[in-house]
Amino acid sequence: MPEHGKRYTEAVSKIEKGKIWEPEEAMAAVKELASAKFDETVDVAIRLGVDPRHGDQMVRGTTTLPHGTGKVRRVAVFAKGDKAQAAIDAGADVVGAEDLVKQIQDGWREFDILVATPDVMSMVGKLGKLLGPRMPNPKSGTVTMDVDKVIRDIKSASRVEYRVDKAGTIHMAIGKVSFEAQQLTENLAALLTALIKARPAAAKGRYLKRITVSSTMGPGLDIDVQKAQALAER
């Protein structure tokens, strides 16, 4: 494995080994430990008590973070008629129908998120093998007639999609180090609230198992799970 750089090593040296942090305290520490010359992203990794190999334990959905993520995302929309115009007015980067399908079939990938109205999904379905999980999906809220609201939420970086990975962990950006610690804490609480609501009935035992927060170039800090859950359940 590659060795960590000097800045990372220095940051680690400032952390009490084995410490479990209160949520807002951890966010303040992440901000203090960030040393890159750019506005680092603050990421959270949440280990869930689920086995995603079983379909009835998959955790996936969308939620809205009160302070956004600080990231601007490019949105392409499949829509026709009034809904296409609504998408344009809402700030979509690219809007189309058959022409957009053809563009993607030809290799175009200059987008971060795809949104579609239900009436055009029959043509969009042709892209399933090409796009895989990047396809618009009703479960993630990206197949909708309410395209203008969804696009505005995405463009404001407040709307986020979460999906558990094969190891049972959710990885998510919850802001930038330029955010206030309280804003980062409130974003984490909103995400945890959504995850708790999305708990599969088949999940047994402890659901929130571990929460770690870090900046792009910084070390991970373990957050007190019970205190974070209490914030989410207020």
Side-chain angles (χ1 to χ4, degrees), residues 2 4 6 8 10 56 98 127 129-130 181 188 195 205 207-208 211 219 223 230-231:
H4 290 296
K6 182 179 178 181
Y8 180 93
E10 288 178 353
D56 61 356
E98 292 90 349
L127 301 173
K129 290 184 178 180
L130 285 175
L188 173 63
L195 293 179
Y207 180 56
L208 297 177
I211 303 171
I223 290 178
L231 278 177

Side-chain angles (χ1 to χ4, degrees), residues 75-90 92-101 104 113-124 127 136 142-148 150-151:
V75 183
V77 181
F78 298 97
K80 292 183 174 182
D82 292 344
K83 292 300 178 182
Q85 187 58 52
I88 293 169
D89 293 343
D93 296 278
V94 178
V95 180
E98 292 90 349
D99 56 331
L100 183 53
V101 171
I104 291 174
I113 297 180
L114 290 172
V115 176
T117 53
D119 55 304
V120 300
M121 280 303 293
S122 58
M123 72 173 73
V124 179
L127 301 173
T142 50
V143 176
T144 177
M145 291 299 287
D146 198 7
V147 289
D148 49 345
V150 169
I151 293 163

Side-chain angles (χ1 to χ4, degrees), residues 29-90:
V30 165
K31 288 170 56 64
E32 183 179 343
L33 293 169
S35 59
K37 294 180 180 179
F38 60 91
D39 191 8
E40 296 179 51
T41 297
V42 177
D43 296 301
V44 66
I46 303 170
R47 179 79 167 86
L48 300 178
V50 298
D51 184 350
R53 293 175 298 177
H54 301 288
D56 61 356
Q57 294 190 50
M58 173 57 65
V59 179
R60 178 181 182 181
T62 60
T63 191
T64 300
L65 302 183
H67 305 290
T69 64
K71 180 181 179 181
V72 177
R73 292 175 289 182
R74 299 163 296 177
V75 183
V77 181
F78 298 97
K80 292 183 174 182
D82 292 344
K83 292 300 178 182
Q85 187 58 52
I88 293 169
D89 293 343

Side-chain angles (χ1 to χ4, degrees), residues 185-224:
T185 305
E186 289 170 357
N187 277 353
L188 173 63
L191 174 59
L192 291 174
T193 298
L195 293 179
I196 291 168
K197 289 180 179 177
R199 176 175 181 158
K204 305 301 180 184
R206 191 157 57 117
Y207 180 56
L208 297 177
K209 301 187 77 172
R210 185 178 183 183
I211 303 171
T212 305
V213 66
S214 64
S215 65
T216 305
M217 307 296 288
L221 306 179
D222 283 329
I223 290 178
D224 187 307

